[in-house]
Amino acid sequence: ADIPSFIIDEKIYEGTRSSIYRGTLTQDNKSVIIKTHSSEYPTANEIERLRREFEIGQQIADSNTIQYISLENRDHGFAIIEEGFHAEVLAQSIPENGFELVEFLKMAIQLAEGLSSIHEKNIIHKDINPHNILINIESGKVKYIDFSRASFLEQEIQQSIGTEVPQGLLAYISPEQSG
């Protein structure tokens, strides 16, 4: 299925809530990533979640964070158009013996800078783990992705501590969330 102004080239991920495609911007032949609902008829909650992810993600303009380009109406929901960063998920790219120290430190610096930019916008990612970080093996460039669980700090402060179920993978959530 084509999204107006975009051509879908290939599906790169299919989840229960969303599907992710590699595509091309028709007007300038630019590579993009397209994230949309997995269901043809998404629920109001699923539609709001994708809209909210775009609203939060577009606030961050940092080279260590995937750039959100636009939010497009699509059939019965939305599609998020992101920059076409050609990379692999970090979780699938970690060598058996780990990264060389210099390579690891270069990635750690980029991730710290990216997290700093996220926090400067008063955004909490809530799901930082190797599955939500992309790495271009050739260049060593890393980027945070997937702001679907993220929120603005002001909204977090308003909620009572301890009443919300922790969000994210248990192995990676903060001590404040896990207790």
Side-chain angles (χ1 to χ4, degrees):
D2 287 353
I3 298 171
S5 303
F6 301 90
I7 298 171
I8 293 175
D9 299 326
E10 67 174 315
K11 184 183 283 189
I12 53 178
Y13 173 79
E14 175 82 43
T16 55
R17 292 185 183 154
S18 61
S19 296
I20 300 175
Y21 303 89
R22 190 169 308 284
T24 306
L25 200 61
T26 55
Q27 58 265 35
D28 62 4
N29 215 26
K30 182 179 177 182
S31 178
V32 292
I33 299 297
I34 303 161
K35 181 176 184 178
T36 190
H37 311 283
S38 288
S39 169
E40 184 178 348
Y41 297 98
T43 65
N45 237 4
E46 291 168 332
I47 291 170
E48 175 59 20
R49 185 181 191 117
L50 209 60
R51 188 199 61 73
R52 182 102 173 110
E53 177 180 351
F54 177 76
E55 178 185 311
I56 290 172
Q58 73 165 351
Q59 299 289 318
I60 307 160
D62 181 81
S63 64
N64 300 309
T65 303
I66 203 76
Q67 297 303 295
Y68 286 70
I69 298 170
S70 67
L71 183 66
E72 303 289 332
N73 286 318
R74 179 173 188 261
D75 300 327
H76 306 283
F78 291 118
I80 295 175
I81 310 305
E82 303 171 359
E83 71 174 295
F85 183 62
H86 291 281
E88 302 171 22
V89 174
L90 180 61
Q92 298 169 350
S93 304
I94 300 172
E96 191 173 309
N97 295 326
F99 290 103
E100 295 293 323
L101 182 60
V102 172
E103 191 178 13
F104 173 81
L105 291 174
K106 286 179 181 178
M107 285 187 292
I109 290 167
Q110 292 177 70
L111 292 171
E113 289 171 348
L115 193 57
S116 176
S117 293
I118 292 168
H119 290 169
E120 281 175 7
K121 296 292 184 180
N122 289 322
I123 295 171
I124 303 170
H125 188 285
K126 289 188 179 179
D127 198 15
I128 294 176
N129 67 71
H131 297 279
N132 287 334
I133 297 170
L134 294 180
I135 180 169
N136 180 305
I137 298 296
E138 291 177 20
S139 69
K141 183 72 183 151
V142 293
K143 291 185 183 247
Y144 288 106
I145 60 169
D146 194 357
F147 287 81
S148 62
R149 294 185 177 170
S151 68
F152 291 103
L153 181 61
E154 296 83 23
Q155 293 166 333
E156 290 298 310
I157 292 171
Q158 292 173 6
Q159 294 179 355
S160 298
I161 295 175
T163 60
E164 189 177 312
V165 175
Q167 295 185 17
L169 298 174
L170 186 58
Y172 298 99
I173 63 173
S174 68
E176 295 82 7
Q177 283 187 296
S178 68

